Amino acid sequence: MATEADEEAPPSSQPLLDGEQRLLLHGSASNTTSQVAIVGSNVCPIESLDYEIIENDFFKQNWRGHGKVQNLQYVFMKWTLCFFVGIFAGFTGFCNNLAIENIAGLKFVVTSNMMLERKYAAAFAVFAASNFVLLLFSSLITTFIAPAAAGSGIPEVKAYLNGVDAPGIFSLRTLVVKIVGSITAVSSSLHVGKAGPLVHTGACIASLLGQGGSKKYGITWRWIRFFNNDRDRCDLVTCGSAAGIAAAFRAPVGGVLFALEEMASWWTSALLWRSFFTTVVVAIVLRAMTDLCKSGKCGLFGKGGLIMFDVTSTNVIYHLVDVPPVLVLGVIGGILGSLYNFILEKVLRTYSFINRKGYAYRILLACSISILTSCCLFGLPWLAPCRPCPADATEACPTIGRSGNYKKFQCPPGHYNDLASLFFNTNDDAIRNLFSKGTDTEFHYISILVFFVASYFLGIFSYGVAAPSGLFMPAILTGASYGRLVGMLMGSHSNLNNGLFAVLGAASLLGGSMRMTVSLCVILLELTNNLLLLPMIMLVLLVSKTVADTFNQNIYDIIMKLKGFPYLEAHAEPYMRQLTVGDVVTGPLQCFNGIEKVRNIVHVLKTTGHHGFPVIDEPPVSYDPVLSGLVLRDHLIVLLKKKAFLSTPILTRSDVTKQFSANDFAKRGSTKYETIDNIEVTEEEMDMFIDLHPFTNASPYTVLETMSLAKALILFRKVGLRHLLVVPKTSTRSPVVGILTRHDFMPEHVLGLHPFLLESRQKKF
Amino acid sequence: MATEADEEAPPSSQPLLDGEQRLLLHGSASNTTSQVAIVGSNVCPIESLDYEIIENDFFKQNWRGHGKVQNLQYVFMKWTLCFFVGIFAGFTGFCNNLAIENIAGLKFVVTSNMMLERKYAAAFAVFAASNFVLLLFSSLITTFIAPAAAGSGIPEVKAYLNGVDAPGIFSLRTLVVKIVGSITAVSSSLHVGKAGPLVHTGACIASLLGQGGSKKYGITWRWIRFFNNDRDRCDLVTCGSAAGIAAAFRAPVGGVLFALEEMASWWTSALLWRSFFTTVVVAIVLRAMTDLCKSGKCGLFGKGGLIMFDVTSTNVIYHLVDVPPVLVLGVIGGILGSLYNFILEKVLRTYSFINRKGYAYRILLACSISILTSCCLFGLPWLAPCRPCPADATEACPTIGRSGNYKKFQCPPGHYNDLASLFFNTNDDAIRNLFSKGTDTEFHYISILVFFVASYFLGIFSYGVAAPSGLFMPAILTGASYGRLVGMLMGSHSNLNNGLFAVLGAASLLGGSMRMTVSLCVILLELTNNLLLLPMIMLVLLVSKTVADTFNQNIYDIIMKLKGFPYLEAHAEPYMRQLTVGDVVTGPLQCFNGIEKVRNIVHVLKTTGHHGFPVIDEPPVSYDPVLSGLVLRDHLIVLLKKKAFLSTPILTRSDVTKQFSANDFAKRGSTKYETIDNIEVTEEEMDMFIDLHPFTNASPYTVLETMSLAKALILFRKVGLRHLLVVPKTSTRSPVVGILTRHDFMPEHVLGLHPFLLESRQKKF
């Protein structure tokens, strides 16, 4: 039934996984939605996170022991970790910039010098070879060391914050490869950005700090191993992703808003406050480091990379007459943005097909893209005629060195090549050129048009390669180019200069592709340092998002679906109102008695993949069958490992718990757990008993079986659950009739069980 | 028991209500927390709002009938209403500014002219008399027409968005009085602001539009009566409060963040998007109106009031050496801010006591505050010696007219009175003076000190009078004054000029009193139009909030508690983990049968004040007692009114519903409902039956009676419920054992039932 539904569903909602890969995980045969997803560039099993507060007797006793000191320590640790996340993210962001500016800068200086000596073929060879080597290196480390580091990382982090854990996304290996790979990929002039990778980097740093270092490599700090549950770590990762954007764009407020609007699925006021603190730290670190570099010790670092594009410090004057061109830009951005998403999805499907054929294919793909990019960047400027330098140029013209507006390229002295100023530059410098004011006559409109087309498609074709790659920068570049084009076409009909049109164009494409509003607006404001642009940017974002939303979803959601993450939306689909939870509960339910035989527990753990089991007290322990609560697989494994067994089935609450410390039950990040297969239980012990009561979560969330699926989803999502117990309506049956998990709410699963809903939905819309 | 607990509790948590007032509402004797609160300046009964989706058969049929057109229409209406909220809020904000600048301006021009002629006594008489008359008018309309318009209104709106409805807070009367009263109060030179009232105004506009006008005054528009539930209206009110801040400070992003951080209890991504749209509209309206006024047709409007304080357009340069004074400012702000809250609470208690003695006392209080203010503003400048005008002054010195830095006051030509520049000005102009750059030598530090002390206490004493009054402006003024003082003390040790220190000082006091972070930061950035200040403002806010949080709560929460609003916090108190929901459920439960006798329904509705009743199917309708759902009082009254009765107790689903349209069950804002007392039921009808099934919400949220109170609170708050059903653990009892409402989660109620918790809590902390 499920496959039928999949075939009928529109291709966009069909993840890139086939049946074989779905069997990677044992058990769960009754649930047909996938338990695996593409993380980075490899297929991995995924798990749900649990944000519920586990309230069992054991933890309650432990809490009661907590005094004021422990509470203060806990709060202090939260802030300290945020502080360190800010420090490290800021430092990483700065080093990233510094390395890119130096590596790419050196490349351009060397090739420019060869161009000056008219050794054009040699210059191309050096340019293409260095790009090739840099991208090859990035692709190799990504493929062989940490496949999870491929791509932007934002979809993975977003899925994590929604409650989907995948192994490896936050490992130390991924962190190192993401940083190094991002530097080399961006330096190789590939049309990719560094903002996305920085978000993933920030989240990685946060997760590693939150779990007290990397256990695998023995780099752990006992004193920061304070956060033993998914909730606290999720908060920290949210702060980390805010820090990533703050570091990429030096946009502290923008970073917080980005995490709030795009990344986080849950948000509290305290979290707003801590993520804000983290981004302040990032901003201060960036400022201090940039100050250090002002003395010229940082090689080719110059003005500090992307850190700030001061578009204009004079006041922007605009009137109502400027609104129509801005609306036009918004519409163009909406159409181009949704088209961008559409083509990118197709390209990613193709790439994913190639990538899965083998490592060699992945590397080959990356290499071909690198050669294509080099050819475009070096070849296309030859199309542009040399133009004489303007007499009133504020900068040196032509620029010989790395940076600057007027690139000499192949031109005679006193002339410049306007297309080379865009292509033969780092992406940051190209953006700065497009955003700059007082350069309205610098670019010919055909040059801008060529650059726009090349940039649009290079951005699409570069994203899916097996290397860390962001989507922000290509979108800004492309958007800025057509924004400037519209500005040139408007000419004197508008009060805005072409640099401002470029900013608005960048906003429109970002809005059309990523569909953020407030956060994009604030990021652009902080980038350009001009608050008076605000209403214009807002307007353009509103229009472009509205237009694009009529065509397809935002790019990150598309990628997330493509990768197969079971992302839980905040709202229920309309057809879910017509179903009750009883309609979607599947599979035989595995329950335990309050005092259960070890043999049963071992058997159930070995034969199922479930993570939560209802505990039911039956006669003789109680008069009637009574729901005692929910016990987790992880906790059962700890009990089995510590051999907390009883020889007779009697209630002995107090003394059992003394064997354990809270640390035994702590859940620690992405560290591998004990599995049931590693635990040895002798035949004699198999016939003993375990008293599950002290370890049973006595306050599980429950719904009646007649509850509508839509309302159960709202509860599940808003409270952040992993298991939701379904209790019967009448009292004659077992006290639990089923368990709902994330997969039971996935539209594919629901529509698979009830295919007629799909038909009625297609009829209606 | 409840009174015992109240006596033991610290005074801050004790609302200003006594037993007599608590009996205003009939019924609910079992629940001891108050069902009344102080709204504005009067005591009113309050009710809970219900954000749950009511899923009964009737509504389900109605939804199924909804096609694509209705859905589009619904979305379109949401956006249209947001658009109108933006238009009206922007227009109101502008008119507010325009009126204040003209009224207060005229007053200052007349008195200044008299001062020029050395008629000092006459000038004072005119000044004091005009202030007196203006405030008297404001106080009179507030007291006699709309008491709910008194004060800032932010606590009331915040409580509404948390789910507490009070009659009159969003009525047309309140709206008009709030606008007019705020204009006159601010024009009367009272030390109050207009931001808070504008937030209330925005929320009022949103609520009135959401319910399709004011039914009471017959101003209703049928075509916008689209929103028949609390959820949609709540969203609209959130947009309205964002629009209020956006209109007060021309801070669109700041407005959205303010609504998000301070006001809203629930937030969705779509809401972020719509509130952003609303504030964009506000910004555009403000810009258009200001452009209109540039031609000088707006009287004394001048630079547009508070709309923008362009502190400096040059780049701010600061280094790590500037951090220590900023930290010091933060600490001072935190201490002064929490002290401000502490004193304000005491003053409000006293004022509330006076206000409740009668209308005459209220008016008298307002008049005395007006006279005190006039004396301070006119008297204190005489303490300052006349200072010669600086030779390099960029502005005219001394200024004769209304505005400007250098007030002449009593001084001879060529001299100015620096204290008069602060006191004898509108608040906006005083703030602009304090924030201005290049005026480091303008003020003597003793003048600033005098102004700081006067402003601090005038702000505290002015807030509680029966007139619309905001807290932002006094806090900004006071903070700016001591910030400038710190800047003067730093002298040349710092790179920052005194104007910037004033901005940071304002930030620190706002942070210390209101405890917002991101939103305040963005509001101040948008006010001063300088993004480079960002890290400094963030730092000062972080420090001041942290310091102040160790002493007391934020000012709005203090006021809300004082007024007795049952505000539901997002987190549970620690002791709630030790209680189960069974421990707090009180009172006899009123249930209905699936097919119930009319007499029983009328009796229960008349004798209780409950709003939700569980419906239980008992034999013979079903085999066992089965929970069928929850029926609401409002719906029962509609059924009684329409006389949908059956002569025999049989199930007849389909034909009953045809009598009703969805409109009959619509819940419409603050319009008064039918009460049970107005419904006439004949004795014959009393013995008939009603089939409740089609009108029963079949998907009520439920918890097991063993669920911990803390986790039930999280469910209640996150999903936004009004009623939460408690189901039994064992199956031998009735299918429902109780109902939890907002009041059952209030700490006062819980601690009242379990006083030992209070003792253990006090021991621990």
Side-chain angles (χ1 to χ4, degrees):
Chain A
M1 265 216 261
T3 40
E4 245 178 74
D6 272 357
E7 275 164 23
E8 277 177 43
S12 68
S13 67
Q14 193 178 358
L16 288 164
L17 300 165
D18 48 37
E20 195 191 334
Q21 287 163 336
R22 288 192 182 173
L23 291 175
L24 264 180
L25 261 197
H26 55 91
S28 314
S30 62
N31 199 321
T32 51
T33 57
S34 93
Q35 310 274 336
V36 292
I38 304 174
V39 180
S41 57
N42 273 19
V43 177
C44 306
I46 48 173
E47 265 190 26
S48 286
L49 297 169
D50 197 351
Y51 299 125
E52 190 180 345
I53 297 168
I54 306 296
E55 285 189 340
N56 59 32
D57 289 349
F58 176 73
F59 282 121
K60 273 189 191 162
Q61 282 181 21
N62 197 38
W63 280 327
R64 271 189 216 123
H66 271 214
K68 214 175 171 180
V69 177
Q70 266 106 330
N71 286 339
L72 273 180
Q73 202 178 352
Y74 177 74
V75 172
F76 176 75
M77 275 310 296
K78 277 195 160 184
W79 285 93
T80 312
L81 287 187
C82 282
F83 177 74
F84 281 115
V85 169
I87 295 278
F88 289 135
F91 187 73
T92 311
F94 180 78
C95 291
N96 195 313
N97 257 307
L98 186 67
I100 291 170
E101 291 289 311
N102 274 299
I103 298 176
L106 186 67
K107 187 178 73 186
F108 283 114
V109 166
V110 170
T111 42
S112 293
N113 287 342
M114 289 175 133
M115 298 284 287
L116 271 185
E117 299 168 25
R118 302 186 160 268
K119 295 179 190 162
Y120 299 129
F124 176 70
V126 168
F127 182 69
S130 55
N131 289 346
F132 187 86
V133 170
L134 285 167
L135 187 59
L136 183 65
F137 176 73
S138 177
S139 185
L140 281 175
I141 57 173
T142 308
T143 305
F144 292 107
I145 302 178
S152 136
I154 289 181
E156 279 87 355
V157 177
K158 192 174 172 183
Y160 177 87
L161 293 177
N162 190 260
V164 182
D165 196 12
I169 46 168
F170 293 145
S171 71
L172 187 62
R173 227 153 51 153
T174 308
L175 175 63
V176 173
V177 169
K178 196 97 196 181
I179 296 173
V180 178
S182 168
I183 291 172
T184 44
V186 175
S187 305
S188 80
S189 292
L190 195 68
H191 222 66
V192 295
K194 56 203 169 188
L198 272 175
V199 170
H200 191 175
T201 305
C204 256
I205 293 171
S207 175
L208 285 172
L209 284 176
Q211 68 187 57
S214 172
K215 209 174 179 180
K216 193 168 174 191
Y217 298 97
I219 315 166
T220 52
W221 305 280
R222 193 149 271 291
W223 62 276
I224 58 169
R225 308 199 79 165
F226 227 83
F227 301 117
N228 300 326
N229 58 62
D230 291 331
R231 247 169 308 121
D232 291 328
R233 248 190 319 272
C234 170
D235 284 3
L236 210 55
V237 169
T238 310
C239 294
S241 57
I245 285 289
F249 297 111
R250 205 169 78 177
V253 181
V256 172
L257 285 172
F258 173 80
L260 166 64
E261 191 179 357
E262 184 60 33
M263 304 301 285
S265 296
W266 293 278
W267 196 265
T268 63
S269 184
L271 183 56
L272 189 70
W273 176 212
R274 267 201 306 280
S275 59
F276 186 48
F277 171 73
T278 314
T279 56
V280 179
V281 174
V282 171
I284 292 175
V285 168
L286 282 180
R287 173 145 214 120
M289 306 281 276
T290 317
D291 276 1
L292 273 183
C293 270
K294 285 233 170 91
S295 44
K297 288 177 204 145
C298 299
L300 298 165
F301 183 63
K303 285 181 187 170
L306 179 66
I307 283 183
M308 186 159 289
F309 309 106
D310 253 310
V311 173
T312 164
S313 54
T314 55
N315 282 353
V316 186
I317 293 157
Y318 53 86
H319 299 286
L320 287 178
V321 284
D322 296 320
V323 169
V326 170
L327 293 179
V328 169
L329 263 185
V331 173
I332 297 177
I335 294 169
L336 286 177
S338 55
L339 190 67
Y340 194 90
N341 294 1
F342 178 78
I343 305 178
L344 188 58
E345 198 209 322
K346 301 287 167 224
V347 170
L348 284 180
R349 284 185 177 274
T350 318
Y351 279 13
S352 178
F353 178 75
I354 298 172
N355 282 339
R356 263 159 50 209
K357 284 204 161 184
Y359 293 141
Y361 286 87
R362 276 189 214 180
I363 308 289
L364 209 63
L365 178 66
C367 293
S368 4
I369 297 294
S370 172
I371 293 170
L372 173 72
T373 308
S374 298
C375 292
C376 279
L377 299 191
F378 197 90
L380 289 176
W382 294 90
L383 298 178
C386 290
R387 312 183 75 205
C389 283
D392 57 345
T394 49
E395 291 190 66
C397 175
T399 325
I400 312 285
R402 177 185 64 88
S403 167
N405 271 356
Y406 302 96
K407 276 271 172 186
K408 187 169 175 295
F409 211 64
Q410 90 286 19
C411 293
H415 288 68
Y416 71 97
N417 182 326
D418 59 348
L419 211 42
S421 305
L422 299 172
F423 275 122
F424 205 59
N425 239 336
T426 59
N427 290 343
D428 290 5
D429 284 327
I431 294 175
R432 215 176 280 121
N433 281 352
L434 285 171
F435 280 9
S436 63
K437 59 165 182 162
T439 54
D440 287 5
T441 55
E442 183 185 341
F443 300 102
H444 193 258
Y445 71 92
I446 291 186
S447 301
I448 296 272
L449 194 65
V450 169
F451 180 72
F452 159 64
V453 174
S455 169
Y456 192 79
F457 288 104
L458 278 179
I460 289 173
F461 288 117
S462 304
Y463 177 73
V465 302
S469 49
L471 284 165
F472 269 92
M473 208 58 51
I476 294 179
L477 254 186
T478 313
S481 60
Y482 74 75
R484 210 170 164 107
L485 200 60
V486 170
M488 288 163 122
L489 293 178
M490 286 300 298
S492 58
H493 296 294
S494 168
N495 295 306
L496 305 177
N497 70 47
N498 290 353
L500 293 180
F501 267 110
V503 173
L504 295 173
S508 75
L509 191 61
L510 286 171
S513 168
M514 293 170 190
R515 317 285 164 85
M516 291 173 273
T517 51
V518 193
S519 50
L520 272 183
C521 180
V522 174
I523 289 172
L524 281 166
L525 285 181
E526 293 188 79
L527 264 183
T528 56
N529 195 25
N530 198 320
L531 274 170
L532 293 169
L533 272 177
L534 190 66
M536 285 291 168
I537 294 184
M538 282 173 150
L539 199 64
V540 93
L541 283 173
L542 282 166
V543 175
S544 71
K545 182 177 149 82
T546 311
V547 169
D549 271 346
T550 57
F551 295 112
N552 51 24
Q553 279 189 295
N554 83 56
I555 186 69
Y556 295 123
D557 286 349
I558 289 177
I559 296 176
M560 216 156 41
K561 262 200 183 152
L562 212 63
K563 282 169 173 271
F565 285 113
Y567 187 84
L568 208 59
E569 296 287 345
H571 58 270
E573 301 283 332
Y575 58 80
M576 290 184 182
R577 281 189 182 156
Q578 298 169 36
L579 295 173
T580 66
V581 290
D583 294 334
V584 298
V585 164
T586 50
L589 184 67
Q590 296 289 355
C591 295
F592 288 127
N593 274 319
I595 296 175
E596 184 60 86
K597 233 181 182 177
V598 173
R599 186 182 304 280
N600 287 349
I601 295 178
V602 171
H603 176 74
V604 168
L605 291 186
K606 281 198 175 162
T607 52
T608 69
H610 300 323
H611 284 267
F613 304 92
V615 176
I616 292 169
D617 278 334
E618 281 184 30
V621 174
S622 71
Y623 187 74
D624 275 317
V626 165
L627 174 62
S628 170
L630 187 85
V631 71
L632 299 181
R633 169 182 281 262
D634 297 341
H635 293 182
L636 287 175
I637 288 178
V638 174
L639 293 180
L640 289 174
K641 203 178 155 203
K642 285 251 178 175
K643 302 199 185 297
F645 303 146
L646 307 170
S647 48
T648 48
I650 43 161
L651 283 169
T652 50
R653 299 218 162 197
S654 55
D655 53 343
V656 190
T657 57
K658 283 180 190 152
Q659 294 181 38
F660 299 94
S661 76
N663 215 25
D664 294 328
F665 293 102
K667 187 173 176 191
R668 284 219 180 74
S670 47
T671 322
K672 279 273 174 292
Y673 298 103
E674 297 281 351
T675 61
I676 182 68
D677 302 321
N678 301 338
I679 289 172
E680 302 263 320
V681 184
T682 63
E683 195 55 35
E684 198 179 320
E685 285 167 343
M686 282 291 199
D687 290 321
M688 294 174 84
F689 296 89
I690 299 184
D691 182 3
L692 297 177
H693 291 102
F695 310 99
T696 299
N697 177 6
S699 298
Y701 285 99
T702 54
V703 287
L704 288 181
E705 58 181 334
T706 50
M707 175 73 124
S708 83
L709 188 62
K711 290 177 83 170
L713 170 65
I714 289 169
L715 164 63
F716 195 89
R717 165 66 201 259
K718 286 207 173 163
V719 182
L721 298 179
R722 182 171 186 179
H723 302 104
L724 180 59
L725 296 184
V726 180
V727 295
K729 190 176 173 180
T730 53
S731 46
T732 45
R733 289 155 63 195
S734 151
V736 185
V737 297
I739 286 193
L740 292 173
T741 62
R742 167 180 296 269
H743 291 281
D744 295 312
F745 292 106
M746 288 293 120
E748 304 94 71
H749 173 65
V750 176
L751 292 175
L753 287 175
H754 303 278
F756 67 93
L757 289 171
L758 191 71
E759 288 158 29
S760 68
R761 189 177 62 154
Q762 283 173 341
K763 215 181 293 167
K764 213 157 191 177
F765 296 100
Chain B
M1 262 212 268
T3 41
E4 247 179 72
D6 273 356
E7 275 165 24
E8 278 176 43
S12 69
S13 68
Q14 194 178 354
L16 287 166
L17 300 166
D18 49 36
E20 194 191 335
Q21 287 164 332
R22 288 191 182 173
L23 291 177
L24 262 180
L25 258 199
H26 56 92
S28 314
S30 62
N31 199 321
T32 52
T33 55
S34 94
Q35 309 274 339
V36 293
I38 304 174
V39 180
S41 57
N42 273 17
V43 176
C44 304
I46 48 173
E47 263 190 29
S48 287
L49 297 170
D50 198 350
Y51 299 126
E52 192 181 342
I53 297 168
I54 307 295
E55 286 189 341
N56 59 30
D57 288 347
F58 176 72
F59 282 122
K60 273 189 191 162
Q61 281 181 18
N62 198 37
W63 281 326
R64 274 191 214 119
H66 271 214
K68 215 174 173 181
V69 177
Q70 268 105 331
N71 286 338
L72 272 180
Q73 200 179 355
Y74 176 74
V75 171
F76 177 76
M77 276 310 295
K78 279 196 159 184
W79 286 92
T80 312
L81 287 186
C82 282
F83 178 75
F84 282 116
V85 168
I87 294 278
F88 289 135
F91 187 74
T92 311
F94 181 79
C95 292
N96 194 315
N97 257 308
L98 187 68
I100 291 170
E101 292 288 312
N102 275 302
I103 298 175
L106 186 67
K107 186 177 74 184
F108 283 115
V109 166
V110 170
T111 42
S112 292
N113 287 343
M114 289 175 134
M115 297 287 288
L116 271 183
E117 298 167 25
R118 299 187 163 267
K119 295 178 186 163
Y120 299 129
F124 176 69
V126 169
F127 183 68
S130 55
N131 287 347
F132 186 87
V133 170
L134 285 167
L135 187 58
L136 184 65
F137 176 73
S138 176
S139 186
L140 281 175
I141 56 171
T142 308
T143 306
F144 293 106
I145 300 178
S152 135
I154 290 181
E156 279 87 355
V157 178
K158 192 175 171 182
Y160 177 86
L161 292 178
N162 190 259
V164 182
D165 196 12
I169 46 166
F170 294 143
S171 70
L172 188 62
R173 226 153 51 154
T174 307
L175 175 63
V176 173
V177 169
K178 196 99 199 180
I179 296 172
V180 178
S182 168
I183 291 173
T184 44
V186 174
S187 304
S188 81
S189 290
L190 194 68
H191 222 66
V192 295
K194 55 200 168 191
L198 272 176
V199 170
H200 191 173
T201 305
C204 257
I205 292 171
S207 176
L208 284 173
L209 282 178
Q211 68 186 59
S214 174
K215 209 175 182 180
K216 195 171 174 187
Y217 297 97
I219 314 166
T220 52
W221 305 280
R222 192 148 273 289
W223 59 278
I224 59 170
R225 306 197 83 166
F226 226 84
F227 301 117
N228 300 327
N229 59 61
D230 291 331
R231 248 168 310 119
D232 291 328
R233 248 188 321 271
C234 169
D235 283 3
L236 209 55
V237 170
T238 310
C239 293
S241 57
I245 285 289
F249 298 112
R250 202 169 79 175
V253 182
V256 172
L257 285 172
F258 173 81
L260 167 64
E261 191 178 0
E262 184 62 32
M263 305 300 285
S265 295
W266 293 277
W267 196 268
T268 62
S269 185
L271 183 56
L272 188 71
W273 178 211
R274 268 202 306 277
S275 59
F276 185 49
F277 172 72
T278 315
T279 57
V280 180
V281 174
V282 171
I284 291 174
V285 169
L286 283 180
R287 172 144 216 123
M289 306 280 275
T290 317
D291 277 2
L292 273 182
C293 269
K294 282 230 171 95
S295 46
K297 287 176 205 146
C298 301
L300 298 164
F301 182 64
K303 286 181 188 170
L306 179 66
I307 283 184
M308 186 157 290
F309 307 109
D310 252 309
V311 174
T312 161
S313 55
T314 56
N315 280 353
V316 186
I317 293 157
Y318 52 86
H319 299 286
L320 286 178
V321 285
D322 296 320
V323 170
V326 171
L327 292 179
V328 169
L329 262 185
V331 174
I332 297 176
I335 294 170
L336 286 176
S338 55
L339 191 68
Y340 194 91
N341 293 2
F342 178 78
I343 305 178
L344 188 59
E345 196 208 325
K346 301 286 165 221
V347 170
L348 284 180
R349 283 185 177 277
T350 318
Y351 279 11
S352 178
F353 179 75
I354 298 172
N355 281 342
R356 263 157 49 205
K357 284 204 163 185
Y359 293 142
Y361 285 87
R362 274 187 214 181
I363 309 288
L364 210 63
L365 178 67
C367 293
S368 4
I369 297 294
S370 172
I371 293 170
L372 173 73
T373 308
S374 297
C375 292
C376 277
L377 298 191
F378 196 89
L380 288 175
W382 293 90
L383 297 177
C386 289
R387 313 184 74 206
C389 282
D392 57 345
T394 49
E395 290 191 63
C397 175
T399 324
I400 313 285
R402 177 185 63 90
S403 164
N405 272 357
Y406 302 98
K407 276 272 169 183
K408 188 170 174 295
F409 212 62
Q410 90 287 20
C411 293
H415 288 69
Y416 72 97
N417 183 327
D418 59 348
L419 212 42
S421 304
L422 298 173
F423 275 122
F424 204 60
N425 238 337
T426 59
N427 289 344
D428 290 4
D429 284 329
I431 293 176
R432 217 176 279 122
N433 280 351
L434 285 171
F435 279 9
S436 62
K437 60 166 182 161
T439 54
D440 288 7
T441 55
E442 181 184 343
F443 300 102
H444 193 256
Y445 69 91
I446 291 184
S447 301
I448 296 273
L449 194 66
V450 169
F451 179 73
F452 160 63
V453 174
S455 169
Y456 193 78
F457 288 103
L458 278 179
I460 289 172
F461 288 117
S462 303
Y463 178 72
V465 302
S469 49
L471 284 164
F472 268 91
M473 210 54 53
I476 292 179
L477 254 185
T478 312
S481 62
Y482 74 76
R484 207 167 168 110
L485 200 61
V486 170
M488 289 162 117
L489 293 178
M490 286 302 298
S492 59
H493 296 294
S494 168
N495 297 308
L496 305 178
N497 71 47
N498 291 352
L500 292 181
F501 267 108
V503 174
L504 294 174
S508 76
L509 191 62
L510 286 171
S513 170
M514 294 171 190
R515 316 285 162 83
M516 288 173 275
T517 52
V518 192
S519 51
L520 272 183
C521 181
V522 174
I523 290 172
L524 281 166
L525 285 182
E526 294 189 70
L527 264 184
T528 56
N529 194 26
N530 196 320
L531 273 169
L532 293 169
L533 271 176
L534 189 65
M536 285 291 170
I537 294 184
M538 281 174 153
L539 199 65
V540 93
L541 282 172
L542 282 167
V543 175
S544 71
K545 181 176 153 82
T546 311
V547 169
D549 271 345
T550 59
F551 295 113
N552 51 24
Q553 278 188 295
N554 84 56
I555 187 69
Y556 295 122
D557 286 349
I558 289 177
I559 296 174
M560 214 157 37
K561 263 201 182 151
L562 211 63
K563 284 171 172 269
F565 285 114
Y567 186 84
L568 208 60
E569 296 286 344
H571 57 271
E573 300 284 331
Y575 58 81
M576 289 186 183
R577 281 189 182 155
Q578 298 167 38
L579 296 173
T580 65
V581 290
D583 294 335
V584 298
V585 164
T586 53
L589 183 67
Q590 295 288 355
C591 296
F592 289 127
N593 274 319
I595 296 177
E596 184 62 84
K597 234 182 181 177
V598 174
R599 185 182 304 277
N600 287 348
I601 295 177
V602 172
H603 175 75
V604 168
L605 290 185
K606 281 199 174 162
T607 52
T608 68
H610 301 323
H611 284 267
F613 305 93
V615 175
I616 294 170
D617 277 332
E618 282 183 31
V621 175
S622 71
Y623 187 73
D624 276 316
V626 167
L627 173 62
S628 168
L630 186 84
V631 69
L632 298 181
R633 169 182 281 263
D634 296 340
H635 294 184
L636 287 176
I637 288 178
V638 174
L639 293 181
L640 289 175
K641 204 178 154 204
K642 285 253 176 172
K643 303 204 188 291
F645 303 147
L646 306 170
S647 48
T648 47
I650 43 158
L651 283 169
T652 50
R653 300 221 159 193
S654 55
D655 53 341
V656 190
T657 55
K658 285 179 189 153
Q659 296 185 35
F660 298 94
S661 77
N663 215 26
D664 295 328
F665 294 101
K667 189 174 174 190
R668 285 220 181 72
S670 46
T671 322
K672 280 274 175 291
Y673 299 103
E674 297 282 348
T675 61
I676 182 68
D677 303 322
N678 300 339
I679 289 172
E680 303 263 320
V681 184
T682 64
E683 195 56 33
E684 197 178 320
E685 288 166 341
M686 282 290 197
D687 290 320
M688 293 174 85
F689 297 88
I690 299 185
D691 181 3
L692 296 178
H693 291 102
F695 310 100
T696 300
N697 176 6
S699 299
Y701 285 99
T702 54
V703 288
L704 287 181
E705 58 181 335
T706 50
M707 176 72 121
S708 83
L709 188 61
K711 290 176 83 169
L713 168 65
I714 289 171
L715 164 62
F716 195 88
R717 164 68 201 257
K718 288 207 171 164
V719 182
L721 299 179
R722 183 171 186 178
H723 302 103
L724 181 58
L725 296 184
V726 180
V727 295
K729 189 178 173 180
T730 54
S731 46
T732 45
R733 290 155 62 197
S734 151
V736 185
V737 298
I739 285 193
L740 291 172
T741 62
R742 166 180 296 269
H743 292 280
D744 295 310
F745 292 104
M746 288 292 121
E748 304 93 70
H749 173 65
V750 176
L751 293 173
L753 287 174
H754 303 278
F756 67 93
L757 289 170
L758 192 71
E759 288 157 30
S760 69
R761 189 178 62 155
Q762 283 173 342
K763 215 182 292 165
K764 214 159 190 177
F765 294 100

